[in-house]
Amino acid sequence: MALNKTFLIACTVILLYGCNQDESSTPNAVVEPPKTDVELLNEQEWDDNRVYVTKDNYILMKEANGTIPGIMKPCFVVNSAKEWPREDLSNADSYDLPRVDFRWNNGDFVSASASEKAIYESYDKVWSIKTDGTDLRLVTDDFSGDVRIMRRSPNNRYLAYSYASRTSGGTDKVVFDVQTQKSTLLGTDLGHSQFLWAEDSSYLYFEDRAIYWKYELATGKTTQMDDDFYFSEVGVIYGGKRYVVSDYGIVVFNESNNKRLYSIGLSTAEEDKLAVKNISLSYDRKYFLKSRSISPDGKYAWGESAQYRYFINTETKEVKLEKKDRKKKSQYRFFDVLGFNAEYVRSASAGSARQYKLTKDKKLFSQTLHWGQICSGHSATLSWLYNGFANNGAFVKEDK
């Protein structure tokens, strides 16, 4: 077996200076520790000015496009995910800004005959990153399949996600504990996936086999919900209210007793009457929200249909809209990730981040930034905000 290089250098130092010598006869010299592989790599001159984090992973710094010139953003090249730092709840520096979870298969497409490592790198994993594009972390790789949806608990500790399992052939719904690194399987089916966390992170609603369930973290107890209980894949529980961004608007419930408090529709009363009998194609094209988001406190929601984009204040019940037109600049585009108080928004893509600071009337073009934050692999998507109240909801530090 070949001797470790560091061990060889250490042995050489001992041979040079001797062992168990009398202190009076031993030179008072400081021996420099051997340089690590990463240090040696970073001493080299690289054409792209890369900085190695581990021997197989490095960071490139690139200028972001947008309204603020000279902003440099990191772009991550991860060739060995298992070497990359994991998210650490005890590291306070990771949580001084809002963060987003996202899925990323950091390796290239490979054939079934490829090496075990190459196949592993090509698989989906869940990652997280600060909204300013720094502090990339691996959250979990404890599965084998394509991620469908992910939702982080308000206390940041738990990740609920689903994936198309390569082993079960169904859609596995899982709760992953970032602190203990343990996963709990909630259900497996071929149907839709939805998750909604309690405000205090003590329980989780999820859908399995077209039924809504409640999972309690402390006891592991799972309870089937009544038929009149409702939530959706985009929503939040905050201030004792359950905000549901439904297919055609917003519904708000009292979380403690499931009482429906009010709803905000997007269509007219006359259109709704006709839709009760028959939802026409034109009605769907106007109002069915194929993309949706909500702010961490439930105050603002956004949705996009085939023809329109809607921005809703759930407190005042005001609905603003724009018709989609490629010839005109959009005021409500890229709202897939909606920050606290709707001060910042960003797109769902994680490979190429589009981030905006909104104007005072909650429209685009106050500040824009667009940068590629993923420089390896073949796709990174499904960004979802968590830790959203950090830094008062602002996605960047204003003094930087």
Side-chain angles (χ1 to χ4, degrees):
M1 181 182 292
L3 288 174
N4 179 279
K5 182 178 179 182
T6 302
F7 179 72
L8 283 173
I9 294 174
C11 287
T12 302
V13 171
I14 293 173
L15 288 171
L16 285 172
Y17 287 97
C19 299
N20 300 319
Q21 292 186 14
D22 186 85
E23 288 187 7
S24 61
S25 62
T26 303
N28 188 18
V30 177
V31 180
E32 289 289 333
K35 292 184 178 180
T36 64
D37 291 339
V38 173
E39 288 174 328
L40 292 171
L41 285 167
N42 285 329
E43 283 184 352
Q44 298 181 43
E45 294 292 331
W46 300 99
D47 293 338
D48 53 11
N49 295 316
R50 66 182 62 177
V51 175
Y52 277 85
V53 178
T54 70
K55 62 183 179 65
D56 293 319
N57 306 314
Y58 56 88
I59 299 174
L60 304 173
M61 295 300 294
K62 298 185 176 183
E63 185 171 3
N65 298 319
T67 55
I68 309 174
I71 299 294
M72 303 300 292
K73 293 289 186 181
C75 195
F76 299 91
V77 179
V78 177
N79 297 309
S80 182
K82 289 191 181 297
E83 294 179 8
W84 196 264
R86 297 245 173 182
E87 185 169 337
D88 180 3
L89 294 171
S90 67
N91 182 9
D93 290 341
S94 286
Y95 302 98
D96 61 352
L97 283 173
R99 299 182 65 90
V100 290
D101 286 311
F102 64 96
R103 57 147 296 280
W104 176 27
N105 34 25
N106 56 284
D108 294 327
F109 286 117
V110 295
S111 66
S113 60
S115 68
E116 183 178 343
K117 181 183 183 304
I119 292 173
Y120 163 78
E121 302 298 343
S122 72
Y123 281 174
D124 271 10
K125 305 165 197 70
V126 178
W127 302 76
S128 70
I129 197 168
K130 288 184 183 181
T131 46
D132 68 351
T134 64
D135 196 47
L136 175 71
R137 299 283 178 152
L138 177 60
V139 180
T140 181
D141 56 355
D142 189 26
F143 61 97
S144 175
D146 301 324
V147 176
R148 297 290 186 245
I149 187 175
M150 66 198 87
R151 297 292 184 263
R152 186 70 72 103
S153 62
N155 66 0
N156 301 332
R157 176 172 173 175
Y158 301 100
L159 175 75
Y161 69 98
S162 71
Y163 65 97
S165 173
R166 288 184 170 90
T167 54
S168 71
T171 300
D172 287 6
K173 290 86 182 277
V174 176
V175 172
F176 177 73
D177 187 334
V178 177
Q179 181 170 302
T180 66
Q181 297 288 295
K182 293 182 178 179
S183 296
T184 301
L185 182 64
L186 300 178
T188 300
D189 71 6
L190 296 174
H192 193 223
S193 298
Q194 297 184 136
F195 300 105
L196 181 63
W197 282 101
E199 189 172 355
D200 64 357
S201 305
S202 64
Y203 58 89
L204 167 73
Y205 296 122
F206 69 98
E207 180 185 1
D208 190 54
R209 304 185 186 280
I211 298 173
Y212 293 148
W213 304 85
K214 180 180 180 180
Y215 172 72
E216 298 177 46
L217 274 293
T219 64
K221 181 182 178 182
T222 301
T223 306
Q224 182 175 337
M225 303 304 294
D226 295 335
D227 291 341
D228 63 350
F229 181 85
Y230 183 62
F231 74 103
S232 71
E233 67 181 71
V234 175
V236 67
I237 299 173
Y238 186 80
K241 297 178 181 178
R242 184 168 75 250
Y243 297 85
V244 179
V245 186
S246 67
D247 291 345
Y248 299 99
I250 313 294
V251 186
V252 182
F253 298 86
N254 184 316
E255 173 60 10
S256 63
N257 59 17
N258 197 37
K259 181 181 178 181
R260 182 179 177 133
L261 300 177
Y262 60 91
S263 61
I264 304 170
L266 306 177
S267 55
T268 66
E270 187 63 31
E271 286 175 312
D272 285 343
K273 287 182 181 179
L274 295 173
V276 170
K277 299 178 180 179
N278 176 45
I279 296 179
S280 65
L281 179 61
S282 61
Y283 185 92
D284 252 7
R285 286 181 60 79
K286 284 183 182 179
Y287 304 119
F288 179 77
L289 302 179
K290 58 182 182 178
S291 299
R292 314 168 203 176
S293 64
I294 192 167
S295 63
D297 61 347
K299 182 177 179 180
Y300 294 100
W302 169 87
E304 181 177 88
S305 71
Q307 293 182 333
Y308 290 90
R309 297 185 182 98
Y310 299 91
F311 183 69
I312 305 111
N313 184 319
T314 64
E315 289 185 354
T316 64
K317 303 179 184 179
E318 180 184 15
V319 178
K320 296 180 180 179
L321 77 158
E322 68 174 11
K323 190 168 185 178
K324 294 162 72 171
D325 187 342
R326 293 182 179 181
K327 297 179 181 179
K328 295 181 180 179
K329 285 186 175 181
S330 171
Q331 298 297 328
Y332 299 115
R333 193 180 179 193
F334 305 122
F335 278 40
D336 309 90
V337 177
L338 190 55
F340 174 53
N341 203 33
E343 185 178 358
Y344 283 82
V345 298
R346 63 187 283 151
S347 63
S349 172
S352 180
R354 289 183 177 271
Q355 187 160 288
Y356 304 84
K357 181 179 181 181
L358 301 187
T359 61
K360 290 183 179 180
D361 58 351
K362 308 304 181 186
K363 295 181 179 180
L364 292 184
F365 307 121
S366 174
Q367 291 178 6
T368 69
L369 281 178
H370 176 205
W371 72 95
Q373 64 182 13
I374 300 303
C375 282
S376 65
H378 47 279
S379 64
T381 56
L382 301 182
S383 293
W384 187 260
L385 186 73
Y386 71 102
N387 198 42
F389 296 101
N391 195 38
N392 201 32
F395 284 5
V396 298
K397 295 288 183 70
E398 298 292 349
D399 59 344
K400 292 186 179 180

